[in-house]
Each structure stands twice: as C-alpha cells, then as structure tokens.
Amino acid sequence: MATRLLLFLAAFATWCLLNWPPDPAHLVVGVAVAAVAAGAAGHFFLTRPHLLRHPRRYLYFFAGYLPVLAWECLRANFDVARRVLHPALPIHPGIVTVRTRLRSDAGLTFLANSITLTPGTMTVDIDREAGLLYIHWLDVTTRDPAEATERIARRFERILEEIFE
C-alpha cells in the first residue's frame, strides 16, 4: 500500500507541475488520474521500494541519465533529419540484437524506452531470460551483437545499472 501511495503522490505532483497554475478542475482530474495510475501500475513501478532510499540513484537519474538521454535524442534527431534531406536517402534498415546486463523490469523498461525515444531506433521485442533486446535500426552498420550493443544501448545501460540494479 505504501508503494501505491508513493506513486500516487509522485504522479499527482507531476500532474500539478505540468498543469501549472493549478485550478480546481485540473486538481480533481489530477487526483483521478494519479489514483488510476497508482492503482493500476503501483506494483510494477515500485516492486523494490527500498531502492528509493538511496539518494545516489536520484543523482544518477537527474545528473546522468536525463542529460545523456537529451543529448542522444538531439544527436539522433540531427542524424535522421540529415538522412531524410539527403538526395540519396542513405538508410539501411534492419533488426539487430542487443545484449543487456539489466534484469529488473524497471531497468529493462527504461532501456527499451530510451532506445525507442532516440530517433532512428525502436525496441521491437525483449527476451528477458536471455538478456536480449531486438532493435529496429534505421541505419544498420553492424550485425555483431556486441558492437550493436555498444553503439545503441551501452550509453544508457551503464547509468541504468546504477539506478535500478
């Protein structure tokens, strides 16, 4: 129950920040949305609440993960825009295998979403038992799983290990 309450408070605080300045109608809707989110997904997000007690994890998230995600998204946006505007459209799409050391649901979800949020790549499947992600890559430059892992996932994985593992 405590984990759902924590998720409710975090979701409601986020709602309030995104709908600033608050008014009564937005607050009522925010309470409803936060309650549904906490009730439906509370067990998924906070299966190990003891991890929330480590301030180092927050530091890695805010000072490590978010800047890396923003940089990689910006860099990938320019790369995709260049490919779209190039007369020959230099792409070589395909699906590659990426290995991961992450095992927690939250860590795998963050990694898969980070890859998908980066233009030019999209996670299409996860094999949790084998530690594999299958990624659609706009410009496949290698089929070697180790090299594909290094190019696509490693920059996120190192930080996510510190946060979720």
Side-chain angles (χ1 to χ4, degrees):
M1 189 64 181
T3 58
R4 286 196 165 100
L5 178 63
L6 252 162
L7 182 60
F8 170 81
L9 293 173
F12 184 67
T14 302
W15 178 272
C16 288
L17 288 173
L18 293 173
N19 289 287
W20 198 262
D23 62 62
H26 281 108
L27 292 176
V28 170
V29 172
V31 166
V33 168
V36 169
H43 68 284
F44 175 74
F45 286 107
L46 299 172
T47 56
R48 300 184 297 171
H50 64 280
L51 295 179
L52 296 175
R53 295 187 191 114
H54 300 284
R56 181 179 57 93
R57 295 178 192 274
Y58 295 101
L59 180 65
Y60 273 102
F61 182 78
F62 290 109
Y65 173 75
L66 289 179
V68 167
L69 178 65
W71 171 251
E72 292 301 327
C73 286
L74 182 68
R75 194 173 64 89
N77 270 297
F78 280 111
D79 180 62
V80 171
R82 182 186 60 81
R83 291 177 194 284
V84 168
L85 296 173
H86 193 280
L89 193 62
I91 64 170
H92 303 94
I95 295 181
V96 295
T97 304
V98 169
R99 297 189 189 285
T100 182
R101 296 183 300 255
L102 297 172
R103 292 291 178 249
S104 69
D105 288 339
L108 286 169
T109 301
F110 263 79
L111 180 60
N113 286 334
S114 300
I115 291 169
T116 299
L117 284 170
T118 307
T121 55
M122 183 175 72
T123 306
V124 293
D125 196 14
I126 299 174
D127 183 348
R128 183 173 187 208
E129 288 76 31
L132 300 174
L133 282 81
Y134 299 96
I135 310 296
H136 181 273
W137 196 2
L138 184 64
D139 187 36
V140 176
T141 56
T142 182
R143 293 273 181 200
D144 177 45
E147 198 172 332
T149 300
E150 198 61 39
R151 291 185 186 182
I152 297 173
R154 192 67 69 211
R155 58 192 172 258
F156 299 119
E157 185 181 47
R158 288 185 189 117
I159 300 167
L160 293 174
E161 281 179 315
E162 296 295 330
I163 298 170
F164 293 108
E165 299 300 315

